[in-house]
Amino acid sequence: MTVQEGVLTKRRRRPLPPLGFIISLGFLTVVIFGAVFANVLPIDPLAQNIVDSLKPPSGSHWFGTDELGRDIMARVIFGARTSLVTAAGAVIIAALIGVPIGLVAGYFGGWRDTVLMRFIDVLLALPNILLAMALIAVLGRSQTAALIAVGVAGVPSFARIARAQVLTLRQLDFVSAVRGFGCSSSYIMFRTILPNILSPLMVQVIVLSSVAILLEAALAFLGVGVPPPTPSWGEMLRTGKSYLYEAPYYAVLPGLVLTLTILSFDTIGKQMSRALDPRSGGGTPGELERAGP
């Protein structure tokens, strides 16, 4: 192997993922697996046994039991399904609304940009929790309402990221070439520009997932989220705080799972952001070559 080949091989060699990323990915894999196959497990989150109420963690109840004798671990596993479904639905809603707004505002500019971004500014001016609570007050208390509320709260982030990327790309040569062929504006936005801004949007999907899980738990903690008896991490925290001295595991263990889940999403999102940025040393070999030495 020549010296030049050795340099190119070293340049193309990808660094190993950080330990935090591997641990976060493994933890999320366990959480998602438990949420997807919760019905297969021999546990019932709604089964009550008053005799066993507020029992500490043991071999038969790994996370203990709540005030109705329900298995807390079972409710945590099924609560993961509630949180992940809400997060997934919220991200889809936020992306379907926010990305087109950002594309149109960034591509056309002018009055369209002004009107659309003032609408986004109005949403940004309202705290996410207050906006979500207002929407739930209109739609009623249900998982669907919580999903929609969290999704609308996430629209501004997608809109602003898409607009910023379009402003960067719309004057580049490949976009000008497509425009010169007489392609329509919708074709340029959705078939030419959109595929080239998927990387930052995918990072935002991960980041918003953690925000959506936290917001759903906050709504449940305030008593306006998913109604009981549907298991919810926020609902368990709200109820468990009343027994914090008598049975601290009731609130601590679901809260620990919630915290680790949010932290795992955040860690993965940050690592993806670094990996997709050629200047940070990540990216594909082609991106590294274009980034220069």
Side-chain angles (χ1 to χ4, degrees):
M1 179 182 294
T2 64
V3 174
Q4 184 177 7
E5 290 174 342
V7 172
L8 291 176
T9 301
K10 182 178 180 181
R11 190 177 184 181
R12 287 172 168 80
R13 186 179 300 134
R14 294 175 182 271
L16 294 175
L19 181 60
F21 174 82
I22 297 175
I23 295 175
S24 299
L25 186 61
F27 180 80
L28 282 184
T29 300
V30 173
V31 172
I32 294 173
F33 181 86
V36 172
F37 297 100
N39 289 332
V40 180
L41 301 176
I43 52 178
D44 184 358
L46 303 179
Q48 301 181 15
N49 186 358
I50 302 299
V51 177
D52 290 334
S53 61
L54 297 179
K55 294 291 185 180
S58 62
S60 56
H61 302 287
W62 289 7
F63 282 13
T65 60
D66 63 10
E67 76 281 7
L68 298 177
R70 297 174 297 191
D71 187 88
I72 295 178
M73 183 176 179
R75 295 184 63 77
V76 168
I77 293 175
F78 277 83
R81 173 180 294 182
T82 301
S83 295
L84 293 176
V85 168
T86 301
V91 167
I92 292 174
I93 291 174
L96 289 179
I97 299 176
V99 172
I101 289 176
L103 287 173
V104 172
Y107 183 79
F108 290 104
W111 66 270
R112 297 180 182 89
D113 185 22
T114 301
V115 171
L116 291 174
M117 296 317 294
R118 294 299 77 77
F119 168 71
I120 296 300
D121 289 342
V122 170
L123 294 180
L124 284 173
L126 299 173
N128 288 345
I129 188 68
L130 293 182
L131 177 60
M133 291 176 67
L135 290 174
I136 289 176
V138 174
L139 299 175
R141 186 180 177 186
S142 65
Q143 184 172 4
T144 302
L147 185 151
I148 295 173
V150 175
V152 172
V155 167
S157 57
F158 276 102
R160 290 166 67 90
I161 289 176
R163 176 180 178 271
Q165 295 295 318
V166 173
L167 290 175
T168 302
L169 296 179
R170 67 178 182 179
Q171 300 300 330
L172 295 183
D173 292 341
F174 76 95
V175 177
S176 300
V178 176
R179 190 183 298 115
F181 283 120
C183 296
S184 63
S185 298
S186 59
Y187 181 92
I188 296 174
M189 286 188 295
F190 292 98
R191 298 292 299 274
T192 304
I193 295 179
L194 181 58
N196 286 277
I197 65 173
L198 288 180
S199 294
L201 292 178
M202 289 302 299
V203 173
Q204 184 58 30
V205 166
I206 302 298
V207 173
L208 185 60
S209 296
S210 65
V211 175
I213 291 174
L214 179 60
L215 186 54
E216 185 275 330
L219 292 172
F221 184 82
L222 295 174
V224 295
V226 178
T230 302
S232 170
W233 290 342
E235 179 69 23
M236 283 184 279
L237 290 176
R238 185 176 73 88
T239 308
K241 68 181 178 61
S242 302
Y243 303 94
L244 196 57
Y245 294 102
E246 182 180 359
Y249 54 85
Y250 190 172
V252 171
L253 293 178
L256 180 62
V257 175
L258 172 63
T259 302
L260 292 177
T261 301
I262 295 173
L263 182 61
S264 296
F265 271 112
D266 186 65
T267 301
I268 292 174
K270 289 181 179 179
Q271 183 60 30
M272 286 182 60
S273 179
R274 297 190 190 99
L276 294 174
D277 184 1
R279 293 169 298 180
S280 68
T284 63
E287 291 172 334
L288 290 174
E289 291 178 2
R290 290 194 296 271

